[in-house]
DNA sequence: TCCTCCTTGTGATAATTCTAACATATATTG
DNA sequence: CAATATATGTTAGAATTATCACAAGGAGGA
């Protein structure tokens, strides 16, 4: 629908800005400048303004941005004014960590179900949820409207799980396994590979690349 | 030292390629083409070849790439031929998950110590390690050569920890807290914000952006 | 050996993304 | 009410990154 294509990097930064603004809100700050946002998020002021400009003007010249107002706008842009309902499949350590992770729930992502195929894990209580047998996952998806599936299982099992939920209303898949998965047209897939970060760091350290964080 | 600046995106992709090559190695495949690598890593063949070209020619025209040879080359480029020694500070769920995470150890990142300030957590055994009181962290760093510090603690505590390890030989910091941290010149800082991925997905779903994964 | 097929490596081109600079708008002060 | 200081919004330009297209190298078969 949008005329101009918005860089994904801009979207990612909006997400970071928003978390910074949350902190400002909590601290009772009511106005910030693009420069302050930049400093708090390892960006630069021109970038910050440019990012906002894609969506219109949120600030007042000579003054800055109203923290609450700006944050509300960003959240709306990001689609965080609705509640997203997710399940986590694979209750290994990472799955558990994400199930407990408050950084998701406080941003509008509600974990509705946890699944695993390991009898030892099934029945285990994690926060307010109980790990379910992954055999009942399809039925669960029929009875509950779930938007997002978070995959935290070994690479070799991921595609099978994706195939099983085909047509069950899952709109997005966040895949932590280091493997490419295929889903039907229109299902949003995002791969998160935690090792990449360490390996890029390894590269930078090895070649003494000083990435300034200013 | 390098003449041409290599895109960070290239480095990140090399990391992904390498994991794909690991799998090929395990499957006994001995030659792959750029097209096959592309298919297995959600990239495209020209991109793959270009990425390699920054570092020289690893393949044979008409044939492809020797899996083992290419993988060794990539790992060397990434600096993974040495062992990186790391500690994790903050033994919440994410910290624990990373402590258990084999995706790090199998890539040459050895977790040497775990720290927390919660008496309940101190002494807890995680895999082969025991959580230590974070008060002894400085002494631990004096006695052990540690390259990397992984931070998985609440945003408000991160900077204090970073300040405490100043001058203790830490070369890189992988920060999972959603806040900017400052370290001395030359210390590599990488921020990983898990919520960003979900929020970008939220944006894409909200604006029905179909990112093809081909 | 020659011919065909295949896949790399690369130079040119296109697209994207970031940076810089400045004109415009707002608040404040005297 | 004018002058000044401040910070936004935006346009133009620079830099980076990705894509394309093809020439060149190598393998294998006739």
């Amino acid at each position: 629908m949008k005329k101009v294509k918005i860089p994904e990097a801009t979207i990612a930064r909006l997400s970071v800005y928003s978390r910074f603004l949350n902190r400002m809100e909590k601290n009772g700050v009511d106005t910030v400048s693009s420069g302050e946002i930049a400093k708090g998020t390892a960006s630069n002021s021109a970038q910050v303004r440019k990012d906002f400009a894609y969506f219109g003007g949120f600030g007042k010249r000579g003054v800055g941005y109203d923290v609450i107002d700006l944050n509300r706008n960003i959240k709306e842009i990001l689609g965080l004014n609705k509640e997203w309902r997710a399940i986590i499949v694979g209750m290994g350590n990472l799955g558990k960590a994400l199930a407990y992770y408050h950084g998701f729930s406080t941003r509008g992502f509600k974990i509705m179900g946890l699944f695993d195929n390991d009898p030892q894990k099934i029945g285990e209580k994690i926060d307010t949820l109980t790990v379910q047998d992954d055999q009942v996952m399809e039925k669960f998806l029929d009875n509950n409207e779930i938007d997002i599936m978070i995959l935290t299982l070994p690479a070799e099992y991921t595609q099978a799980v994706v195939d099983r939920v085909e047509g069950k209303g899952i709109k997005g898949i966040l895949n932590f396994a280091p493997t490419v998965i295929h889903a039907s047209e229109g299902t949003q897939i995002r791969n998160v590979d935690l090792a990449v970060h360490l390996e890029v760091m390894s590269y930078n350290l090895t070649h003494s690349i000083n990435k300034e964080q200013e």
Side-chain angles (χ1 to χ4, degrees), chain A:
Chain A
M1 311 292 120
K2 281 274 175 314
K3 273 287 145 50
V4 283
K5 203 250 166 186
I6 289 141
E8 179 165 311
T10 288
I11 306 304
R13 282 190 298 265
L14 287 180
S15 168
V16 174
Y17 300 155
S18 174
R19 228 139 319 131
F20 172 75
L21 291 171
N22 273 0
R23 220 168 323 136
M24 292 302 102
E25 255 185 70
K26 209 190 294 174
N27 294 352
V29 178
D30 43 38
T31 307
V32 288
S33 68
S34 57
E36 289 166 328
I37 296 173
K39 202 182 265 183
T41 60
S43 185
N44 74 73
S45 65
Q47 182 82 80
V48 170
R49 291 198 300 279
K50 191 71 186 288
D51 287 337
F52 295 159
Y54 285 110
F55 303 95
F58 301 132
K60 264 214 194 84
R61 302 186 182 200
V63 181
Y65 301 89
D66 181 278
V67 171
I68 291 174
D69 183 57
L70 177 61
N71 202 9
R72 185 177 47 235
N73 274 302
I74 293 179
K75 284 185 183 164
E76 188 177 329
I77 291 167
L78 292 175
L80 300 178
N81 43 352
K82 89 183 268 297
E83 180 183 82
W84 294 97
R85 296 150 67 95
I87 61 172
I88 303 178
V89 186
M91 280 297 116
N93 289 293
L94 186 57
K96 271 185 204 163
L98 297 182
Y100 281 112
Y101 189 50
H102 282 225
F104 288 166
S105 53
T106 57
R107 300 291 292 174
F109 297 93
K110 187 166 185 196
I111 310 296
M112 303 292 293
L114 308 173
F115 298 90
D116 204 294
N117 64 2
D118 178 353
Q120 283 227 295
K121 285 171 186 153
I122 296 166
E124 192 177 337
K125 256 200 126 175
I126 293 181
D127 227 342
T128 60
L129 294 170
T130 303
V131 178
Q132 300 181 63
D133 188 335
D134 91 320
Q135 289 308 311
V136 306
M137 182 174 62
E138 283 92 329
K139 187 177 277 182
F140 183 89
L141 292 176
D142 288 336
N143 297 334
N144 298 270
E145 215 169 288
I146 302 297
D147 308 292
I148 294 170
M149 178 165 72
I150 298 173
L151 293 177
T152 47
L153 21 76
E156 55 267 38
Y157 300 135
T158 52
Q159 186 60 56
V161 169
V162 171
D163 292 342
R164 280 173 50 202
V165 305
E166 186 69 51
K168 299 286 183 188
I170 296 287
K171 302 182 189 79
I173 298 173
L174 191 65
N175 173 36
F176 281 85
T179 184
V180 172
I181 54 178
H182 298 276
S184 64
E185 188 79 17
T187 303
Q188 178 86 202
I189 296 175
R190 294 192 70 81
N191 297 302
V192 183
D193 190 328
L194 292 176
V196 166
H197 297 283
L198 274 181
E199 302 198 355
V200 173
M201 179 179 283
S202 167
Y203 172 86
N204 287 340
L205 292 176
T206 303
H207 301 77
S208 31
I209 289 169
N210 281 38
K211 204 191 133 201
E212 71 294 3
Q213 195 209 30
E214 229 38 46

